[in-house]
């Protein structure tokens, strides 16, 4: 039985040291995103998050269990255009030892609030289709999310973004889109 279940975790925003500690501890996990497993790739990704945070269109929250980082969420600018408005994308990773303990829920709730604070009308998440657990968790938290999948949706409003993200991931992805208004994201 997991004794960490249903705790409240402290979220440390733009804490690059805690994020580094988390990477060092968990990046060798099989489900760690392959595109950021290599040290150089991770460093480039963090650098883009740091620049985005400085510019005001990105933020990273690290979930802390005491002094240990146990998960993170990165909110980054997905698109900002007249047709769709501003959309922020969230990506999360939770330590295997803390899955099922509400860390992901807290990080996703933070991401919706942070995206809205950054002026977004939409929260997006691109999740590999094969990651059934992550897809299920996203829909559980955001039941009104619209879902699009590559290559099945070629005529959707988010088509170009979906194609770019699927190409970057190198595998089929499901794009979840959540409208950020008072009724569609958890508080």
């Amino acid at each position: 039985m997991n004794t960490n279940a249903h705790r409240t975790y402290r979220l440390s925003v733009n804490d690059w040291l805690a994020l580094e500690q988390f990477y060092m501890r968990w990046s060798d996990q099989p489900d760690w995103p392959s595109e950021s497993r290599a040290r150089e790739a991770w460093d480039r990704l963090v650098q883009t998050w740091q620049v985005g945070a400085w510019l005001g269109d990105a933020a990273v929250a690290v979930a802390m269990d005491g002094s240990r980082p146990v998960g993170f969420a990165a909110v980054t600018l997905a698109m900002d255009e007249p047709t769709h408005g501003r959309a922020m994308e969230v990506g999360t990773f939770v330590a295997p030892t803390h899955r099922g303990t509400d860390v992901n829920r807290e990080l996703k709730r933070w991401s919706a609030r942070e995206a809205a604070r950054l002026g977004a009308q939409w929260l997006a998440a691109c999740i590999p289709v094969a990651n059934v657990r992550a897809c299920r968790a996203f829909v559980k938290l955001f039941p009104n999310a619209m879902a699009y999948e590559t290559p099945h949706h070629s005529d959707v409003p988010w088509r170009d973004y979906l194609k770019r993200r699927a190409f970057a991931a190198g595998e089929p992805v499901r794009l979840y889109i959540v409208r950020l208004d008072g009724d569609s994201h958890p508080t």
Side-chain angles (χ1 to χ4, degrees), residues 80-125:
D80 196 356
E81 59 169 55
T83 306
H84 300 300
R86 186 173 179 96
M88 303 298 288
E89 183 175 344
V90 59
T92 61
F93 190 89
V94 174
T97 57
H98 283 71
R99 292 181 183 156
T101 65
D102 291 336
V103 174
N104 191 49
R105 178 182 52 82
E106 286 188 39
L107 289 167
K108 291 285 194 321
R109 285 181 173 176
W110 170 85
S111 70
R113 290 188 308 270
E114 186 66 11
R117 187 190 72 75
L118 293 170
Q121 295 81 33
W122 304 95
L123 181 67

Side-chain angles (χ1 to χ4, degrees), residues 8-26:
T8 300
Y9 297 90
R10 180 177 59 87
L11 299 183
S12 184
V13 178
N14 297 334
D15 183 342
W16 310 114
L17 179 59
L19 186 64
E20 174 67 13
Q21 291 170 348
F22 186 76
Y23 170 81
M24 296 300 290
R25 172 63 179 95
W26 298 107

Side-chain angles (χ1 to χ4, degrees), residues 33-116:
S34 60
E35 65 271 12
S36 65
R37 186 177 307 276
R39 183 66 210 206
E40 300 80 27
W42 175 253
D43 288 344
R44 281 191 306 273
L45 183 60
V46 171
Q47 201 170 42
T48 63
W49 292 341
Q50 290 171 329
V51 170
W54 182 74
L55 292 172
D57 56 10
V60 175
V62 180
M64 304 296 288
D65 184 4
S67 63
R68 292 179 312 142
V70 296
F72 77 89
V75 176
T76 57
L77 182 64
M79 69 172 69
D80 196 356
E81 59 169 55
T83 306
H84 300 300
R86 186 173 179 96
M88 303 298 288
E89 183 175 344
V90 59
T92 61
F93 190 89
V94 174
T97 57
H98 283 71
R99 292 181 183 156
T101 65
D102 291 336
V103 174
N104 191 49
R105 178 182 52 82
E106 286 188 39
L107 289 167
K108 291 285 194 321
R109 285 181 173 176
W110 170 85
S111 70
R113 290 188 308 270
E114 186 66 11

Side-chain angles (χ1 to χ4, degrees), residues 84 121-123 144-146 177-185:
H84 300 300
Q121 295 81 33
W122 304 95
L123 181 67
N144 296 329
M146 298 172 280
I177 303 291
V178 177
R179 182 145 191 69
L180 296 175
D181 59 29
D183 297 328
S184 64
H185 65 280

